[in-house]
């Protein structure tokens, strides 16, 4: 048991989340296993509605209930079971052991408090620092994310988008969390600012040995900051592996489709090959593999049942029944 | 040599604000040939959307000429403008807020047909709507649906069908795929390209996404604080960027390919406020190649090689 504790910062088994609404049951997450080693960054990639954010909220135990119903076999953070922690204890974990960077820095900050106060808040709460010391530390944190300490007394509206996101990062890092969940942290930012923020995150990761879950729809960002990738589709991980596994030895047809949908910088004449159709309705998921209606390789076998996660190497796993036939390979892998 | 469908000369749009004059678009000129696509790229606040809207005269320009098919758009009366506007349409960024939630698809797409008296007979109008829906890949059964019943990709298709309804020749596409998921984004980009080939449409494609613009445009103009800092054929711009800002922008794109490692030029700071700009190169504050002359005057846009224009004192041959 203690060995395991040393191995994984986060260990999730069979995480299921559904939202029971008047219009039906939304099957947002349908059994996700996630093991994250210390100091590693994993990218959760997928499109709108795939369940990426729900996964993050479930790990933080922030899924609204009702309508949310969370079922999980195991939820361990740094060797500690947080699945059954009472709400008051969970408040101590959030912001201290796990923290989250939200997508939209414009709405994540409170407009009526100065940025210094907002950073200091979690220090006072979790580290029990007196107000003055907390403010002082907040200024150090501002400097760490590249904002001069004098600006601690300013309000969010006096900052630009990129600066606000830096403040949000400073808040998330204030108590030196063991696990940081970043939910599309650069989506609302311009490319040059995005580059600055990603650089900052990479720097801080080195400095503080933080483990990170990076939620994004952008495979380019994954290539830049992640060690591992999990591709999520309709609430399931369909392919998981190291960066090299997923980018250079792609196995799942959906992952291939994502790559083919992106315009190539080097070959601008190449016609885009979009994935046909749309994401399935999570209140009415197809039987069997949820990707079947959009998949170019689909056969009848795909509709029979949920494809199991097949481990092709120690690090690489794929959820696709086509690999039952020896010699099957998607086009991308063939080159 | 095909004729230019659009010529923009010294276009300026200033907004009066409480803090001073905001230079949204500051003296830009370009021309566009029939059937081609010009990509306007830049970060938020660089004036690319204002440029697009001013060209359609949705915003009145402060000064400058917009010559569309030989007519100066700014000099047209309201009635004349109405006729011209049929030929120039716009596709908006947000397919969630650019469609009237109280109208059905049928009403949305048929509105421009009715308003412009293109067809009068009810049956003809409905036939035309169905035809347009087919063109953009919307199933016939959706004709009486409301926008909220549809996903982003389908809504964007409605926006496209609506703009095609008046058979325009020029379409300003303002970030048409930014709000969409990648797999849907590719569907819409392919559709726009197909329509261009089929109908000979001319596009002004406004975006912040350089990989999309590279894929889509014949020519690209990079904007910074209301000015064009570099303009070149797409391939040339990506292979041989000259302006420091273009170089930094290109190096900032995250590339989903592990075998491609690039040196990143990281820019300090952010785009400055376009209010009360000093008389110096707009990019000087963030530039890594800034010299003393850049602080004294605004560099002119100069043709360095055929069709490759750049506004930078640091580029050899670009010192005016």
């Amino acid at each position: 048991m203690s060995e395991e504790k040393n191995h994984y910062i986060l260990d999730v088994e069979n995480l299921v989340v559904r939202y029971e609404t008047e219009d039906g049951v939304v099957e947002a997450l349908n059994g996700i296993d996630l093991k994250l080693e210390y100091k590693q960054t994993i990218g959760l990639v997928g499109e709108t509605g795939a369940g990426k954010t729900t996964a993050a909220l479930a790990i933080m135990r922030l899924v609204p209930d009702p309508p949310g119903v969370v079922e999980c076999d195991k939820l361990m953070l740094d060797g500690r079971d947080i699945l059954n922690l009472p709400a008051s204890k969970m408040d101590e974990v959030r912001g201290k052991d796990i923290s989250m960077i939200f997508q939209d820095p414009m709405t994540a900050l409170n407009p009526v408090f100065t940025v210094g106060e907002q950073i200091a808040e979690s220090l006072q709460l979790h580290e029990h620092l007196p107000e003055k010391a907390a403010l002082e530390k907040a200024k150090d944190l501002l400097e760490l994310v590249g904002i001069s300490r004098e600006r601690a007394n300013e309000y969010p509206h006096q900052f630009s988008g990129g600066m606000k996101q830096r403040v949000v990062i400073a808040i998330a890092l204030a108590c030196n969390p063991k696990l940081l969940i970043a939910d599309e942290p650069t989506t609302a930012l311009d490319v040059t600012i995005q580059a600055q923020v990603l650089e900052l995150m990479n720097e801080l990761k080195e400095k503080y040995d933080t483990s990170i879950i990076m939620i994004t729809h952008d495979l380019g960002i994954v290539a830049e900051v992640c060690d591992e990738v999990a591709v999520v589709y309709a609430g399931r991980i369909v392919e998981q592996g190291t960066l090299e596994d997923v980018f250079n030895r792609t196995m799942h047809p959906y992952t291939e489709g994502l790559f083919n949908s992106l315009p190539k910088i080097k070959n601008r004449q190449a016609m885009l090959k979009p994935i046909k159709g749309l994401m399935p309705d999570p209140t009415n998921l197809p039987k069997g593999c949820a990707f079947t209606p959009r998949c170019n390789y689909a056969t009848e076998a795909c509709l029979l049942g949920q494809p199991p996660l097949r481990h092709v190497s120690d690090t690489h796993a794929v959820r696709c029944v086509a690999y039952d036939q020896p010699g099957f390979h998607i086009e991308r892998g063939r080159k | 040599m095909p004729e230019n469908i659009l010529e923009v000369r010294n276009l300026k749009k200033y907004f009066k604000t409480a803090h001073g004059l905001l230079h949204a678009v500051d003296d830009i000129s370009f021309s566009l040939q029939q059937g081609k696509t010009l990509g306007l790229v830049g970060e938020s606040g660089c004036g690319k959307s204002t440029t697009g809207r001013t060209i359609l005269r949705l915003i009145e320009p402060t000064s400058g000429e917009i010559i569309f098919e030989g007519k100066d758009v700014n000099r047209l009366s309201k009635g004349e403008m109405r006729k011209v506007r049929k030929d120039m349409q716009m596709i908006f960024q947000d397919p969630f807020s650019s469609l009237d939630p109280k109208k059905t698809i049928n009403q949305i797409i048929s509105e421009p047909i009715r308003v412009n008296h293109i067809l009068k007979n009810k049956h003809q109008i409905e036939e035309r709507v169905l035809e347009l829906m087919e063109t953009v890949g919307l199933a016939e059964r959706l004709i009486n649906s409301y926008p909220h019943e549809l996903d982003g990709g389908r809504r964007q298709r409605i926006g496209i069908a609506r703009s095609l309804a008046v058979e325009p020749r020029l379409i300003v596409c303002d970030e048409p795929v930014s709000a969409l998921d990648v797999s849907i984004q590719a569907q819409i980009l392919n559709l726009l390209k197909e329509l261009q080939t089929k109908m000979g449409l001319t596009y002004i494609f406004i975006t912040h996404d350089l990989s999309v613009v590279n894929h889509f445009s014949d020519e690209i103009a990079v904007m910074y604080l209301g000015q064009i800092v570099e303009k070149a054929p797409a391939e040339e711009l990506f292979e041989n960027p000259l302006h420091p800002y273009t170089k930094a922008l290109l190096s900032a794109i995250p590339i989903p390919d592990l075998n491609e490692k690039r040196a990143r030029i990281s820019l300090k700071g952010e785009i400055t406020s376009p209010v009360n700009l000093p008389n110096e190169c707009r990019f000087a504050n963030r530039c890594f190649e800034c010299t003393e002359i850049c602080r004294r005057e605004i560099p002119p846009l100069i043709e360095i090689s055929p069709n490759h224009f750049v506004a930078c004192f640091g580029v050899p041959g670009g010192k005016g």
Side-chain angles (χ1 to χ4, degrees), chain A residues 19-45:
Chain A
Y19 296 103
E20 292 175 348
T21 69
E22 277 174 20
D23 301 327
V25 178
V26 179
E27 296 173 33
L29 275 186
N30 304 303
I32 278 193
D33 296 338
L34 208 59
K35 283 185 179 12
L36 181 61
E37 286 176 32
Y38 285 94
K39 300 179 201 178
Q40 293 281 299
T41 300
I42 189 168
L44 281 190
V45 192

CSV table of all heavy atoms in Angstrom, one decimal, chain A residues 19-45:
chain,number,residue,atom,x,y,z
A,19,TYR,N,-25.8,13.0,-15.1
A,19,TYR,CA,-26.7,14.1,-14.7
A,19,TYR,C,-28.1,13.7,-14.9
A,19,TYR,O,-28.5,13.4,-16.0
A,19,TYR,CB,-26.4,15.4,-15.4
A,19,TYR,CG,-25.0,15.9,-15.2
A,19,TYR,CD1,-24.0,15.7,-16.1
A,19,TYR,CD2,-24.7,16.6,-14.0
A,19,TYR,CE1,-22.7,16.2,-15.9
A,19,TYR,CE2,-23.4,17.1,-13.8
A,19,TYR,CZ,-22.4,16.9,-14.8
A,19,TYR,OH,-21.2,17.4,-14.5
A,20,GLU,N,-28.9,13.5,-13.8
A,20,GLU,CA,-30.3,13.1,-14.0
A,20,GLU,C,-31.2,14.3,-14.1
A,20,GLU,O,-31.5,15.0,-13.1
A,20,GLU,CB,-30.7,12.2,-12.8
A,20,GLU,CG,-29.9,10.9,-12.9
A,20,GLU,CD,-30.1,10.0,-11.7
A,20,GLU,OE1,-30.7,10.5,-10.7
A,20,GLU,OE2,-29.7,8.8,-11.7
A,21,THR,N,-31.5,14.6,-15.3
A,21,THR,CA,-32.3,15.8,-15.6
A,21,THR,C,-33.7,15.4,-16.0
A,21,THR,O,-34.0,14.3,-16.2
A,21,THR,CB,-31.7,16.7,-16.7
A,21,THR,OG1,-31.9,15.9,-17.9
A,21,THR,CG2,-30.2,16.9,-16.5
A,22,GLU,N,-34.6,16.4,-16.1
A,22,GLU,CA,-36.0,16.2,-16.5
A,22,GLU,C,-36.0,15.6,-17.9
A,22,GLU,O,-36.9,14.9,-18.3
A,22,GLU,CB,-36.8,17.5,-16.5
A,22,GLU,CG,-37.3,17.8,-15.1
A,22,GLU,CD,-37.9,19.1,-15.0
A,22,GLU,OE1,-38.4,19.6,-16.1
A,22,GLU,OE2,-38.1,19.7,-13.9
A,23,ASP,N,-35.1,16.0,-18.7
A,23,ASP,CA,-35.1,15.6,-20.1
A,23,ASP,C,-34.4,14.2,-20.3
A,23,ASP,O,-34.3,13.8,-21.5
A,23,ASP,CB,-34.4,16.6,-21.0
A,23,ASP,CG,-35.1,17.9,-20.9
A,23,ASP,OD1,-36.3,18.0,-20.7
A,23,ASP,OD2,-34.4,19.0,-21.0
A,24,GLY,N,-34.0,13.6,-19.3
A,24,GLY,CA,-33.3,12.3,-19.4
A,24,GLY,C,-32.0,12.3,-18.7
A,24,GLY,O,-31.6,13.3,-18.1
A,25,VAL,N,-31.4,11.1,-18.7
A,25,VAL,CA,-30.1,11.0,-18.0
A,25,VAL,C,-29.0,11.3,-18.9
A,25,VAL,O,-28.8,10.6,-20.0
A,25,VAL,CB,-30.0,9.6,-17.4
A,25,VAL,CG1,-28.7,9.4,-16.7
A,25,VAL,CG2,-31.2,9.3,-16.5
A,26,VAL,N,-28.2,12.3,-18.6
A,26,VAL,CA,-27.0,12.6,-19.4
A,26,VAL,C,-25.8,11.8,-18.9
A,26,VAL,O,-25.4,11.9,-17.7
A,26,VAL,CB,-26.6,14.1,-19.3
A,26,VAL,CG1,-25.4,14.4,-20.1
A,26,VAL,CG2,-27.8,14.9,-19.7
A,27,GLU,N,-25.4,10.9,-19.7
A,27,GLU,CA,-24.2,10.0,-19.3
A,27,GLU,C,-22.9,10.7,-19.7
A,27,GLU,O,-22.4,10.6,-20.7
A,27,GLU,CB,-24.3,8.7,-20.0
A,27,GLU,CG,-25.6,7.9,-19.6
A,27,GLU,CD,-25.8,6.6,-20.3
A,27,GLU,OE1,-24.8,6.0,-20.7
A,27,GLU,OE2,-27.0,6.3,-20.5
A,28,ALA,N,-22.5,11.5,-18.7
A,28,ALA,CA,-21.3,12.4,-19.0
A,28,ALA,C,-20.0,11.6,-18.9
A,28,ALA,O,-19.1,11.8,-19.8
A,28,ALA,CB,-21.3,13.6,-18.0
A,29,LEU,N,-19.8,10.8,-17.9
A,29,LEU,CA,-18.6,10.0,-17.8
A,29,LEU,C,-19.0,8.6,-17.6
A,29,LEU,O,-19.9,8.3,-16.7
A,29,LEU,CB,-17.8,10.5,-16.6
A,29,LEU,CG,-16.8,11.6,-16.8
A,29,LEU,CD1,-16.0,11.8,-15.5
A,29,LEU,CD2,-15.9,11.4,-18.0
A,30,ASN,N,-18.4,7.7,-18.4
A,30,ASN,CA,-18.9,6.3,-18.3
A,30,ASN,C,-17.8,5.3,-17.9
A,30,ASN,O,-17.6,4.3,-18.6
A,30,ASN,CB,-19.5,5.9,-19.7
A,30,ASN,CG,-20.6,6.9,-20.1
A,30,ASN,OD1,-21.5,7.0,-19.4
A,30,ASN,ND2,-20.4,7.5,-21.2
A,31,GLY,N,-17.1,5.6,-16.9
A,31,GLY,CA,-16.1,4.7,-16.4
A,31,GLY,C,-14.7,5.1,-16.9
A,31,GLY,O,-14.2,4.7,-17.9
A,32,ILE,N,-14.1,6.0,-16.1
A,32,ILE,CA,-12.7,6.5,-16.5
A,32,ILE,C,-11.7,6.0,-15.4
A,32,ILE,O,-12.0,6.1,-14.2
A,32,ILE,CB,-12.7,8.0,-16.7
A,32,ILE,CG1,-13.2,8.3,-18.0
A,32,ILE,CG2,-11.4,8.6,-16.4
A,32,ILE,CD1,-13.0,9.7,-18.5
A,33,ASP,N,-10.6,5.4,-15.9
A,33,ASP,CA,-9.5,5.1,-15.0
A,33,ASP,C,-8.4,6.0,-15.3
A,33,ASP,O,-8.0,6.2,-16.5
A,33,ASP,CB,-9.0,3.6,-15.3
A,33,ASP,CG,-10.1,2.6,-15.0
A,33,ASP,OD1,-11.0,3.0,-14.2
A,33,ASP,OD2,-10.0,1.5,-15.5
A,34,LEU,N,-7.8,6.6,-14.3
A,34,LEU,CA,-6.7,7.6,-14.5
A,34,LEU,C,-5.7,7.4,-13.4
A,34,LEU,O,-6.0,7.5,-12.2
A,34,LEU,CB,-7.3,9.0,-14.5
A,34,LEU,CG,-6.7,10.1,-15.3
A,34,LEU,CD1,-6.6,9.7,-16.8
A,34,LEU,CD2,-7.4,11.4,-15.1
A,35,LYS,N,-4.5,7.1,-13.8
A,35,LYS,CA,-3.4,7.0,-12.9
A,35,LYS,C,-2.4,8.0,-13.3
A,35,LYS,O,-1.9,8.0,-14.5
A,35,LYS,CB,-2.8,5.6,-12.9
A,35,LYS,CG,-3.6,4.6,-12.2
A,35,LYS,CD,-2.8,3.3,-12.2
A,35,LYS,CE,-3.4,2.1,-11.5
A,35,LYS,NZ,-4.8,2.1,-11.1
A,36,LEU,N,-2.0,8.9,-12.4
A,36,LEU,CA,-1.0,9.9,-12.8
A,36,LEU,C,0.2,9.8,-11.8
A,36,LEU,O,0.0,9.9,-10.6
A,36,LEU,CB,-1.7,11.3,-12.7
A,36,LEU,CG,-0.8,12.5,-13.1
A,36,LEU,CD1,-0.3,12.4,-14.5
A,36,LEU,CD2,-1.6,13.8,-12.9
A,37,GLU,N,1.3,9.7,-12.4
A,37,GLU,CA,2.5,9.6,-11.6
A,37,GLU,C,3.0,11.0,-11.1
A,37,GLU,O,2.6,12.0,-11.7
A,37,GLU,CB,3.7,8.9,-12.4
A,37,GLU,CG,3.4,7.4,-12.5
A,37,GLU,CD,4.5,6.8,-13.4
A,37,GLU,OE1,5.7,7.3,-13.4
A,37,GLU,OE2,4.2,5.8,-14.1
A,38,TYR,N,3.8,11.0,-10.1
A,38,TYR,CA,4.3,12.3,-9.6
A,38,TYR,C,5.0,13.0,-10.6
A,38,TYR,O,5.7,12.4,-11.5
A,38,TYR,CB,5.2,12.0,-8.4
A,38,TYR,CG,4.4,11.7,-7.1
A,38,TYR,CD1,4.2,10.4,-6.8
A,38,TYR,CD2,3.9,12.7,-6.3
A,38,TYR,CE1,3.4,10.0,-5.7
A,38,TYR,CE2,3.1,12.4,-5.2
A,38,TYR,CZ,2.9,11.0,-4.9
A,38,TYR,OH,2.2,10.7,-3.8
A,39,LYS,N,4.9,14.3,-10.6
A,39,LYS,CA,5.6,15.2,-11.5
A,39,LYS,C,5.3,15.1,-13.0
A,39,LYS,O,6.0,15.5,-13.8
A,39,LYS,CB,7.2,15.1,-11.3
A,39,LYS,CG,7.6,15.4,-9.9
A,39,LYS,CD,9.1,15.2,-9.9
A,39,LYS,CE,9.5,14.9,-8.4
A,39,LYS,NZ,10.9,14.7,-8.3
A,40,GLN,N,4.2,14.4,-13.3
A,40,GLN,CA,3.9,14.2,-14.7
A,40,GLN,C,2.7,15.1,-15.0
A,40,GLN,O,2.0,15.5,-14.2
A,40,GLN,CB,3.4,12.7,-14.9
A,40,GLN,CG,4.5,11.7,-14.7
A,40,GLN,CD,5.4,11.6,-15.9
A,40,GLN,OE1,4.9,11.3,-17.0
A,40,GLN,NE2,6.7,11.9,-15.8
A,41,THR,N,2.7,15.4,-16.3
A,41,THR,CA,1.5,16.1,-16.8
A,41,THR,C,0.8,15.3,-17.8
A,41,THR,O,1.4,14.7,-18.8
A,41,THR,CB,2.0,17.4,-17.6
A,41,THR,OG1,2.8,18.2,-16.6
A,41,THR,CG2,0.9,18.2,-18.1
A,42,ILE,N,-0.5,15.1,-17.6
A,42,ILE,CA,-1.3,14.4,-18.5
A,42,ILE,C,-2.3,15.3,-19.2
A,42,ILE,O,-2.9,16.2,-18.6
A,42,ILE,CB,-2.1,13.2,-17.8
A,42,ILE,CG1,-2.7,12.3,-18.8
A,42,ILE,CG2,-3.1,13.7,-16.8
A,42,ILE,CD1,-3.2,11.0,-18.3
A,43,GLY,N,-2.5,15.1,-20.5
A,43,GLY,CA,-3.4,15.9,-21.3
A,43,GLY,C,-4.7,15.2,-21.4
A,43,GLY,O,-4.7,14.0,-21.9
A,44,LEU,N,-5.8,15.8,-21.1
A,44,LEU,CA,-7.1,15.2,-21.4
A,44,LEU,C,-7.6,15.9,-22.6
A,44,LEU,O,-7.9,17.1,-22.6
A,44,LEU,CB,-8.1,15.4,-20.2
A,44,LEU,CG,-8.1,14.5,-19.0
A,44,LEU,CD1,-9.3,14.8,-18.2
A,44,LEU,CD2,-8.0,13.1,-19.4
A,45,VAL,N,-7.7,15.2,-23.7
A,45,VAL,CA,-8.0,15.8,-25.0
A,45,VAL,C,-9.4,15.4,-25.5
A,45,VAL,O,-9.7,14.2,-25.3
A,45,VAL,CB,-7.0,15.5,-26.1
A,45,VAL,CG1,-7.2,16.4,-27.3
A,45,VAL,CG2,-5.6,15.6,-25.6
